[in-house]
Amino acid sequence: MGSAKADIYATIFEDTTKATANAAAKVPAEKRFKVIQEGKAHPLWLVGHLANTNNLLIHMWCCNGESLLPKGYGKIFAPDFAGGAPITSDAATYPAWDELLEQYKTVAAKCAEAIRGLDDASLAGELRGGAPDQMKQIFGNTEKTLRAITLHDAYHRGQFALIAALK
């Protein structure tokens, strides 16, 4: 059913998430839990955060899909202001890097596929999939949310790439 506009958004999202997955694949194992400041995000958390955010905001709220991630990811990978647990460098708190990166890629592919199915009315419409009213006010309609979350992905890719580049 989709639209030309939805196809453009899906292509931009695919390009962004492929760049993020490629950058994540280059993070050395010894830097996956590196933080710049105690309690701040490390590359592993950022990859999980992106997978969780793309799953929730795009797959579920923009595209009205079912969650693609295990229950509990919201608590692990949401920021503190959204009810997430404090970020820790304890590896036992998180899934393994390879598993998490595969989940990120799976969510990204499913999101792109679902975005392509949106028509112009859905793009202009409000968030669905149980999105709270507060989130609808913050993010706006589906189209605005797609733009914001695509930029969000690129922003955090830059963060973990920078952390990985530090000595």
Side-chain angles (χ1 to χ4, degrees):
M1 185 140 117
S3 72
K5 191 187 284 190
D7 189 57
I8 290 168
Y9 283 123
T11 299
I12 292 168
F13 183 77
E14 282 175 330
D15 290 347
T16 296
T17 56
K18 284 179 185 173
T20 298
N22 288 339
K26 294 175 184 171
V27 175
E30 66 274 8
K31 293 194 177 177
R32 292 176 184 164
F33 287 96
K34 181 176 179 62
V35 294
I36 294 175
Q37 184 179 358
E38 191 60 39
K40 297 296 182 182
H42 45 71
L44 185 136
W45 187 88
L46 289 164
V47 171
H49 171 65
L50 290 171
N52 183 63
T53 302
N54 293 344
N55 177 61
L56 181 62
L57 273 81
I58 294 181
H59 196 260
M60 295 174 69
W61 292 354
C62 288
C63 301
N64 207 30
E66 297 293 322
S67 179
L68 301 167
L69 295 174
K71 219 171 188 50
Y73 266 44
K75 188 70 174 163
I76 299 170
F77 294 115
D80 56 358
F81 66 81
I87 298 170
T88 177
S89 292
D90 177 10
T93 304
Y94 303 102
W97 176 264
D98 291 340
E99 175 188 350
L100 194 57
L101 189 52
E102 280 308 308
Q103 288 170 331
Y104 172 82
K105 291 177 191 178
T106 298
V107 167
K110 294 286 188 180
C111 285
E113 179 184 329
I115 292 167
R116 280 198 168 82
L118 297 173
D119 58 23
D120 287 339
S122 296
L123 287 169
E126 71 175 24
L127 297 176
R128 303 170 292 165
D133 288 338
Q134 180 184 13
M135 293 296 110
K136 292 176 184 178
Q137 290 173 356
I138 290 170
F139 288 102
N141 69 14
T142 297
E143 187 172 2
K144 288 178 183 176
T145 303
L146 290 172
R147 288 194 307 260
I149 299 308
T150 300
L151 293 171
H152 173 259
D153 201 280
Y155 171 76
H156 286 313
R157 173 184 351 120
Q159 285 182 310
F160 73 69
L162 176 65
I163 292 168
L166 293 174
K167 300 235 179 224

